[in-house]
């Protein structure tokens, strides 16, 4: 291969010098074995193919990491890794894999090498290396509901849809809401960023399917934790294990007493759980598809006297293809893409996939629709609706709110993130396990759930396993060669650690998480118990997910691990994954401590609901899809009532000012607004007269239920309204709550179009001066509620004395509202 930057399929070809380093490291990381060939030119070609699937910049990043790993050996050996003799190269690579600073580098560089070696070697099907189904070819039918599914990439730019309810996201939250509302006759539009995959698309190797349907995220803090989430029609339900467990009663109790959520008691939630379980056809799988890992785990648990059994799942017709987390190839798993969403579309809902929602539209402070764009920078799509539901997941929903600065008066958007940190172990048996034959997560051990530790199956296909296992050198080759004799089992912990979703420098998601010492010890406790379980089941050795304790072969070694590891193993030495993110848009009765209320409507924005894992106050200690779906079924009633009570975004015309008002004053606010169509920054101001009843009546109203003052005056917005007469209202919300002053003004623009100006000022005691002098403002078209300008107007403190001179007291009148 020649040096340079030739490209094939958009990925830079690996040059001769880079190929030499690649092969030298591959020889040390993935040496030849019974089912693994010695690295050669085919390995280089396979690495290029792998990098191509990871995206246009993957090759540059990976080649830079390759050179960094090559240089990382210099402090240890005095030479580059690629120039060392093979034995020294293997030893040095193993030492780098144990290093605090270099472990991640070794994992990142060797993962594509490991995957490429498996692809290039083309292992036999006796190792579970098949591609696609092991049954008859799938005939992909196109039912009639497909006619109500749109690809946003094929829609016209600027196209507008109208609905009663628009739902952003199609997973465990959005799917049930869509079906419930469409079945009641509401016009529903569902928007999904990911693509639609039918049974015919679930082919190829598991790692390729994972890239197509999953987004790989990472939690960064005192340890690195990988976290996959679904980006496809059906969301994470399409790529999850299918396990279906109800919310534990103690969690519901916690919500009641800690969060004031009195409407979520077990007896209240019972019918919603039952409805979800019926829709998903939840049941216990047959013994024939439990798989080899379940067999040896059951044997070990019985020997130890631990409680165990098959896990309830949403796959009544499962035949054990072993690919649940990469899209069920037979359609047996009732993820929302084959259950709730088809039912919703049969009832009249419309689903548009490949549509990334960028903005929630507001009119008069109420959510009235969304703006989206086809993935890939294509068509802009607008959906106008009476009510908006965000179901983009625990990462996507807070990210959208943070980007727009919505629903975050409490400061809680993105905070309180919980996950289930999880780990696993591989165990080598003398008997053949063939763990890929059967359900990967078919079995569980619940003996230690009171400690917050739940054991569940965790098998993955060979290509994914070979790429993600931490072993390097002969240990990795032995792992591949003995794959048919390996069982895998895992566990997750209900933790007390917390993380946060925030905006990174490029406004993408930045996920931070710090594992506390309680959870670190709980993970180590889980590993010790898991090793005992697998050894009791007949394993000759257990491959641990703890650096420094990679293999345990006897009960005596387990006892030593349990005695020494808690005081010596740091969080960064744990091989972890994270699943089931929850809580980043916390639900609660107190608006100062939560983002949404008990009805799932945001405290700050009427008509804007959040129905997904982000409003589930975790952790649950169980797989959360049934919880999210049951809450979605419950939320549907509140959303329906919101849509019923809302008019199409027509901001109300203000009542005329009372002629006999006793309290009256005039104020002027000015500043800058950005015109959204052009991005131009323009001057804006308004001067209005406010009128109300007598001061005593006004004060009593404020302290009781609030008041509405009539306004009339003039608005000036450069290029839009020279000096247009305006009228409207000033709403004063009660001071006993976190209060605001809300301005709604209606005026005609120079173009003859009617516009509405909406603005809000805070009256928190802590920010009374800055809050009452700053008005966050939006100008929208009155006819359809589409924003045209946004900005900030201010009341100058220097105008306080002139403002006081405008106050008048005359004739008696009552406060409006």
């Amino acid at each position: 291969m020649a040096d340079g930057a030739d490209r094939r399929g958009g990925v830079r070809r690996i040059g001769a010098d880079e190929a030499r380093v690649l092969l030298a490291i591959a020889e040390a990381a993935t040496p030849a074995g019974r089912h693994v060939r010695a690295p050669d030119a085919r390995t280089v070609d396979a690495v290029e193919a792998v990098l191509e699937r990871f995206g246009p910049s993957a090759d540059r990043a990976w080649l830079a990491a390759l050179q960094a790993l090559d240089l990382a050996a210099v402090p240890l050996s005095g030479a580059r890794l690629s120039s060392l003799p093979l034995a020294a190269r293997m030893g040095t690579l193993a030492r780098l894999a144990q290093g605090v600073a270099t472990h991640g580098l070794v994992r990142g560089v060797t993962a594509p090498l490991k995957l490429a070696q498996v692809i290039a070697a083309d292992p036999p099907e006796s190792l579970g290396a098949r591609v696609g189904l092991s049954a008859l070819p799938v005939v992909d039918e196109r039912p009639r509901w497909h006619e109500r599914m749109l690809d946003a990439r094929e829609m016209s730019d600027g196209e507008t849809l109208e609905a009663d309810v628009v739902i952003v996201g199609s997973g465990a939250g959005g799917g049930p809401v869509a079906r419930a509302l469409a079945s009641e006759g509401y016009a529903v539009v569902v928007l999904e960023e990911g693509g639609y995959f039918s049974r015919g698309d679930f082919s190829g190797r598991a790692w390729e399917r994972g890239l197509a349907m999953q987004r790989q995220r990472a939690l960064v803090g005192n340890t690195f934790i990988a976290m996959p989430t679904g980006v496809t029609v059906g969301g994470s339900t399409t790529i999850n294990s299918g396990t279906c467990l109800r919310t534990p009663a103690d969690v519901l109790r916690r919500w009641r007493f800690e969060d004031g959520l009195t409407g979520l008691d077990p007896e209240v939630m019972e019918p919603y759980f039952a409805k979800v379980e019926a829709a998903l056809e939840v049941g216990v799988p047959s013994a024939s598809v439990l798989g080899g890992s379940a067999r040896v785990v059951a044997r070990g648990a019985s020997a130890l006297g631990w409680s165990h059994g098959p896990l309830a799942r949403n796959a009544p017709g499962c035949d054990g293809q072993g690919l649940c987390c990469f899209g069920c190839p037979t359609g047996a798993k009732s993820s929302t893409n084959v259950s709730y969403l088809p039912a919703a579309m049969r009832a009249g809902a419309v689903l548009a996939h490949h549509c990334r929602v960028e903005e929630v539209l507001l009119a008069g402070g109420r959510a009235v629709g969304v703006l989206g764009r086809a993935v890939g920078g294509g068509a802009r799509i607008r959906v106008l609706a009476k009510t908006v539901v965000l179901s983009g997941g625990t990462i996507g929903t807070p990210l959208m709110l943070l980007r727009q600065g919505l629903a975050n008066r409490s400061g809680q958007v993105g905070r309180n993130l919980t996950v289930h940190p999880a780990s696993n172990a591989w165990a080598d048996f003398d008997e053949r396990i063939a763990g890929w034959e059967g359900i990967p997560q078919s079995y569980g051990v619940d003996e230690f759930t009171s400690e917050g530790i739940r054991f569940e199956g965790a098998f993955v296909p060979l290509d994914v396993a070979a790429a993600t296992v931490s072993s390097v050198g002969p240990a990795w080759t032995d792992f591949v060669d003995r794959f048919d004799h390996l069982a895998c089992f895992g566990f997750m912990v209900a933790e007390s650690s917390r993380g946060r979703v925030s905006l990174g420098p490029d406004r993408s998601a930045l996920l931070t998480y710090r594992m506390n010492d309680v959870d670190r010890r709980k993970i180590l406790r889980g590993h010790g118990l898991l090793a005992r379980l697998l050894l009791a089941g007949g394993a000759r050795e257990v491959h641990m997910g703890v650096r420094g304790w990679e293999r345990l072969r006897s009960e005596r070694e387990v006892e030593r691990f349990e005695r020494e590891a808690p005081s010596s193993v740091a969080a960064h030495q744990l091989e972890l994954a994270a699943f089931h993110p929850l809580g980043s848009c916390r639900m609660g009765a107190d608006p100062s401590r939560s983002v949404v209320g008990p009805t799932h409507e945001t405290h700050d924005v009427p008509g804007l609901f959040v129905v997904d894992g982000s409003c589930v106050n975790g952790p649950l200690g169980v797989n959360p899809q049934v919880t999210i779906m049951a809450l979605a079924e419950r939320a549907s009633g509140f959303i329906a009532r919101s849509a019923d009570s809302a008019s199409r975004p027509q901001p109300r015309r203000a009542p005329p000012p009372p002629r006999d008002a006793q309290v009256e004053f005039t104020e002027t606010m000015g500043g800058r607004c950005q015109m959204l169509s052009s991005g131009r920054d323009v001057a804006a101001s308004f001067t209005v007269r406010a009128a109300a009843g007598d001061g005593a009546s006004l004060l009593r109203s404020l302290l009781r239920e609030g008041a509405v003052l009539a306004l009339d005056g003039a608005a000036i917005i450069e290029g839009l309204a020279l000096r247009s007469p305006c009228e409207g209202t000033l709403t004063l919300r009660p001071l006993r709550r976190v209060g605001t002053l809300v301005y709604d003004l209606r005026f005609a623009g120079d173009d003859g179009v009617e516009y509405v100006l909406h603005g809000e000022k805070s009256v928190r005691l802590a920010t009374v001066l800055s809050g009452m002098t700053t008005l966050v403002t939006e100008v929208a078209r009155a006819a359809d509620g589409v924003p045209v300008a946004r900005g900030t107007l201010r009341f100058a403190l220097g105008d306080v004395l002139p403002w006081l001179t405008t106050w008048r007291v005359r004739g008696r009148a009552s406060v409006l509202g």
Side-chain angles (χ1 to χ4, degrees):
M1 294 184 183
D3 287 318
D6 297 63
R7 285 191 171 270
R8 180 180 64 191
V11 176
R12 190 178 79 168
R13 288 184 63 90
I14 297 172
D17 287 343
E18 294 161 333
R20 178 185 57 79
V21 175
L22 183 159
L23 290 173
I25 294 177
E27 285 175 346
T30 61
R34 190 158 45 92
H35 295 297
V36 179
R37 295 173 174 170
D40 57 20
R42 288 169 296 185
T43 306
V44 179
D45 291 339
V47 168
E48 285 187 331
V50 168
L51 294 177
E52 183 176 354
R53 294 299 301 269
F54 274 88
S57 61
D59 60 330
R60 294 190 297 274
W62 186 81
L63 288 171
L66 179 76
Q67 296 297 337
L69 180 58
D70 195 29
L71 288 169
V74 174
L76 295 180
S77 62
R80 288 175 176 260
L81 188 62
S82 59
S83 65
L84 295 172
L86 181 57
R89 206 182 314 154
M90 287 181 174
T92 302
L93 183 63
R95 290 174 62 192
L96 290 170
Q98 293 291 329
V100 174
T102 54
H103 171 76
L105 182 62
V106 173
R107 292 289 297 271
V109 170
T110 60
L113 295 178
K114 295 169 179 176
L115 181 55
Q117 277 286 75
V118 171
I119 295 171
D122 193 21
E125 288 208 8
S126 62
L127 287 186
R130 66 178 186 271
V131 176
L133 295 173
S134 61
L136 295 175
V138 173
V139 177
D140 212 18
E141 301 176 353
R142 293 192 63 81
R144 290 190 63 182
W145 56 263
H146 273 226
E147 298 172 1
R148 305 193 65 79
M149 187 161 53
L150 310 173
D151 187 334
R153 298 171 299 181
E154 299 172 359
M155 297 175 69
S156 302
D157 187 37
E159 189 165 344
T160 297
L161 304 176
E162 294 191 9
D164 293 317
V165 179
V166 59
I167 302 169
V168 182
S170 63
V177 173
R179 188 191 74 163
L181 295 178
S183 299
E184 292 295 322
Y186 292 89
V188 175
V189 173
V190 181
L191 303 178
E192 168 59 51
E193 179 182 352
Y196 172 71
F197 294 86
S198 66
R199 287 178 59 194
D201 299 315
F202 295 143
S203 60
R205 293 182 174 90
W207 74 272
E208 295 173 307
R209 289 157 59 175
L211 286 179
M213 293 183 286
Q214 298 177 12
R215 177 174 284 130
Q216 300 298 325
R217 300 188 183 275
L219 303 173
V220 180
N222 60 341
T223 183
F224 179 91
I225 311 179
M227 183 173 71
T229 57
V231 56
T232 175
V233 172
S236 292
T237 71
T238 306
I239 53 96
N240 71 12
S241 63
T243 300
C244 291
L245 301 172
R246 292 188 177 191
T247 319
D250 63 321
V251 173
L252 297 177
R253 192 178 306 112
R254 185 184 77 218
W255 291 350
R256 177 184 179 90
F257 289 103
E258 293 184 9
D259 304 310
L261 300 174
T262 56
L264 299 176
D265 297 312
E267 60 273 15
V268 174
M269 293 302 297
E270 167 62 34
Y272 299 114
F273 288 136
K275 192 171 185 178
V276 168
E277 290 165 349
L280 300 183
E281 300 183 78
V282 174
V284 175
S286 66
S288 62
V289 293
L290 295 181
S293 292
R295 181 180 73 246
V296 296
V297 164
R299 192 165 66 207
S302 294
L304 295 169
W306 294 353
S307 174
H308 60 98
L311 293 169
R313 306 183 70 247
N314 59 344
C318 179
D319 65 352
Q321 293 283 340
L323 295 165
C324 308
C325 296
F326 306 94
C328 178
T330 62
K333 187 176 70 173
S334 297
S335 43
T336 62
N337 60 311
V338 299
S339 56
Y340 283 105
L341 294 171
M345 284 183 275
R346 284 193 293 267
V350 171
L351 187 152
H353 56 83
H354 284 106
C355 181
R356 180 182 294 115
V357 173
E358 299 177 339
E359 182 180 349
V360 175
L361 299 176
L362 303 174
R366 181 182 176 86
V368 295
V370 297
L371 289 177
R373 183 180 292 274
V375 172
R380 291 166 298 179
I381 299 154
R382 179 177 62 173
V383 182
L384 300 180
K386 297 176 181 178
T387 299
V388 176
V389 179
L390 299 184
S391 299
T394 302
I395 310 303
T397 290
L399 197 62
M400 187 182 309
L401 294 175
L402 289 169
R403 284 170 176 163
Q404 200 171 341
L406 280 183
N408 197 24
R409 185 170 301 156
S410 65
Q412 296 301 303
V413 171
R415 296 181 181 272
N416 309 301
L417 172 68
T418 71
V419 296
H420 283 146
S423 195
N424 70 288
W426 292 87
D428 197 342
F429 288 80
D430 290 326
E431 64 191 273
R432 187 171 186 269
I433 303 297
W436 60 88
E437 296 177 355
I439 301 168
Q441 195 172 101
S442 65
Y443 214 77
V445 175
D446 57 3
E447 179 75 15
F448 302 94
T449 54
S450 62
E451 297 182 33
I453 304 173
R454 177 176 289 274
F455 294 90
E456 295 177 342
F459 207 90
V460 291
L462 175 61
D463 52 350
V464 177
T468 55
V469 70
S470 62
S471 305
V472 292
W476 178 84
T477 300
D478 187 59
F479 177 88
V480 174
D481 284 345
R482 291 192 57 80
F483 195 68
D484 57 338
H485 283 70
L486 297 180
C488 187
F489 212 63
F491 65 94
M492 63 186 186
V493 302
E495 31 74 271
S496 56
S497 303
R498 293 294 182 267
R500 184 176 182 181
V501 181
S502 54
L503 293 178
D506 60 351
R507 296 181 66 78
S508 63
L510 175 63
L511 309 181
T512 52
Y513 183 89
R514 182 174 181 81
M515 175 171 283
N516 63 31
D517 197 57
V518 172
D519 295 330
R520 179 189 68 86
R521 288 175 175 272
K522 195 179 292 185
I523 291 286
L524 292 170
R525 164 80 165 150
H527 269 295
L529 294 170
L530 183 54
R532 289 182 178 278
L533 174 67
L534 293 169
L535 289 170
R540 63 180 194 176
E541 70 175 11
V542 178
H543 303 205
M544 302 275 285
V546 182
R547 292 205 304 281
W549 297 86
E550 280 77 8
R551 282 170 168 71
L552 298 179
R553 298 178 177 83
S554 67
E555 186 175 343
R556 178 176 295 180
E557 291 183 359
V558 174
E559 290 172 352
R560 178 170 167 261
F561 168 81
E562 293 174 330
R563 187 170 59 251
E564 298 179 8
S567 60
S568 63
V569 174
H572 65 78
Q573 292 174 260
L574 303 172
E575 303 291 345
L576 299 172
F579 301 99
H580 316 148
L582 300 171
S584 55
C585 290
R586 187 175 184 82
M587 185 191 298
D590 183 354
S592 69
R593 298 180 58 244
S594 56
V595 179
V596 304
T599 66
H600 290 257
E601 190 171 23
T602 60
H603 292 299
D604 299 351
V605 184
L608 180 62
F609 289 75
V610 175
V611 187
D612 57 23
S614 70
C615 62
V616 177
N617 301 341
L620 303 180
V622 298
N623 307 56
Q625 72 173 345
V626 169
T627 297
I628 297 171
M629 290 175 174
L631 289 173
E633 293 279 7
R634 174 180 174 274
S636 298
F638 300 118
I639 296 166
R641 287 197 281 277
S642 172
D644 288 341
S645 64
S647 59
R648 186 75 66 185
Q650 295 285 339
R652 61 188 172 91
R653 184 175 296 279
R659 295 180 181 177
D660 56 350
Q662 188 175 5
V663 176
E664 178 184 315
F665 61 89
T666 300
E667 69 173 335
T668 298
M669 300 198 73
R672 311 290 295 181
C673 284
Q674 184 183 60
M675 304 302 292
L676 300 183
S677 58
S678 64
R680 192 163 61 95
D681 197 44
V682 300
S685 66
F686 67 81
T687 300
V688 290
R689 179 177 69 95
D694 65 275
S697 173
L698 177 62
L699 181 59
R700 284 195 300 270
S701 296
L702 278 175
L703 295 176
R704 198 169 57 246
E705 74 275 358
V708 179
L709 282 67
L711 302 176
D712 69 318
I716 301 173
I717 300 178
E718 182 184 339
L720 187 67
L722 180 61
R723 186 173 178 82
S724 297
C726 64
E727 61 180 20
T729 57
L730 169 57
T731 303
L732 298 92
R733 293 179 179 165
L735 294 178
R736 64 185 179 189
R737 297 196 297 267
V738 176
T740 54
L741 305 182
V742 181
Y743 293 76
D744 285 296
L745 298 172
R746 197 177 187 105
F747 63 94
D750 298 338
D751 54 3
V753 175
E754 204 165 21
Y755 294 94
V756 173
L757 181 151
H758 176 81
E760 295 193 9
K761 294 194 294 187
S762 170
V763 291
R764 289 176 184 266
L765 290 177
T767 58
V768 63
L769 286 180
S770 63
M772 289 197 58
T773 59
T774 302
L775 186 74
V776 179
T777 308
E778 177 180 89
V779 179
R781 291 198 300 260
D784 55 16
V786 173
V788 297
R790 292 197 181 98
T792 302
L793 307 183
R794 296 185 184 280
F795 177 84
L797 288 176
D799 293 338
V800 170
L801 289 179
W803 171 66
L804 290 174
T805 66
T806 69
W807 280 74
R808 298 286 185 273
V809 178
R810 54 174 175 264
R812 185 176 181 81
S814 61
V815 176
L816 297 171

